[in-house]
Amino acid sequence: MKNFTLLVLFLLSGCGSVVTENDRFVGFAHEDYRLTQDSILYKGDCGVWTDDFMLAAEGQESNCLGEVVIKYPKGTIIRVAKIIDEFGGSSGRCWRIQVQVKGRRDLALIDIPACHLWHPKSWVTSSSPFAPVVLDFKPEFAVKADT
């Protein structure tokens, strides 16, 4: 029984957990941000590291970017919808951040570069759940939308 319990704990430690409502993310989760670069919505092509879509700044490259779906101009508003503490392979745990494009409820949640080493350059200030920094967008990718 002890071995079974250890096996279950080991397997669960590799899973992701949604942590969006954690107090650590007040002022980031469910907030609107304005893109500071022209960006492109791609079909996600990174296996379990993305869902259906990934947003990347124009010029960013990665093996995770599939076919182009639509281009979004600088100034497009996105909202942080979900933050997931996820297993990141040999690099340990990492944040997986999903957004929605304002006015586009027809799209599923969209991953942004944040977590996996095959993602384009990360859009957020910290990729690690263990780092004590406040999670936010790097201003080269997105800034708080004017209210």
Side-chain angles (χ1 to χ4, degrees), residues 53-115:
F53 302 102
M54 176 166 274
L55 189 64
E58 197 166 58
Q60 284 191 295
E61 296 180 6
S62 167
N63 292 339
C64 291
L65 305 177
E67 71 179 67
V68 172
V69 176
I70 192 169
K71 294 184 179 186
Y72 290 110
K74 175 181 174 178
T76 297
I77 304 296
I78 59 174
R79 173 169 282 208
V80 176
K82 190 184 281 187
I83 303 166
I84 304 164
D85 175 355
E86 187 164 275
F87 178 66
S90 61
S91 59
R93 303 200 71 77
C94 60
W95 297 126
R96 180 171 172 193
I97 299 170
Q98 296 180 320
V99 300
Q100 291 177 308
V101 175
K102 191 167 186 170
R104 292 296 309 263
R105 298 242 182 246
D106 58 315
L107 292 175
L109 293 178
I110 300 165
D111 283 279
I112 60 161
C115 185

Side-chain angles (χ1 to χ4, degrees), residues 92-146:
R93 303 200 71 77
C94 60
W95 297 126
R96 180 171 172 193
I97 299 170
Q98 296 180 320
V99 300
Q100 291 177 308
V101 175
K102 191 167 186 170
R104 292 296 309 263
R105 298 242 182 246
D106 58 315
L107 292 175
L109 293 178
I110 300 165
D111 283 279
I112 60 161
C115 185
H116 196 266
L117 63 108
W118 292 325
H119 283 186
K121 179 182 177 183
S122 177
W123 282 26
V124 293
T125 53
S126 171
S127 292
S128 171
F130 302 112
V133 300
V134 174
L135 195 58
D136 201 357
F137 280 99
K138 293 177 183 173
E140 66 191 271
F141 298 109
V143 294
K144 282 261 188 171
D146 300 319

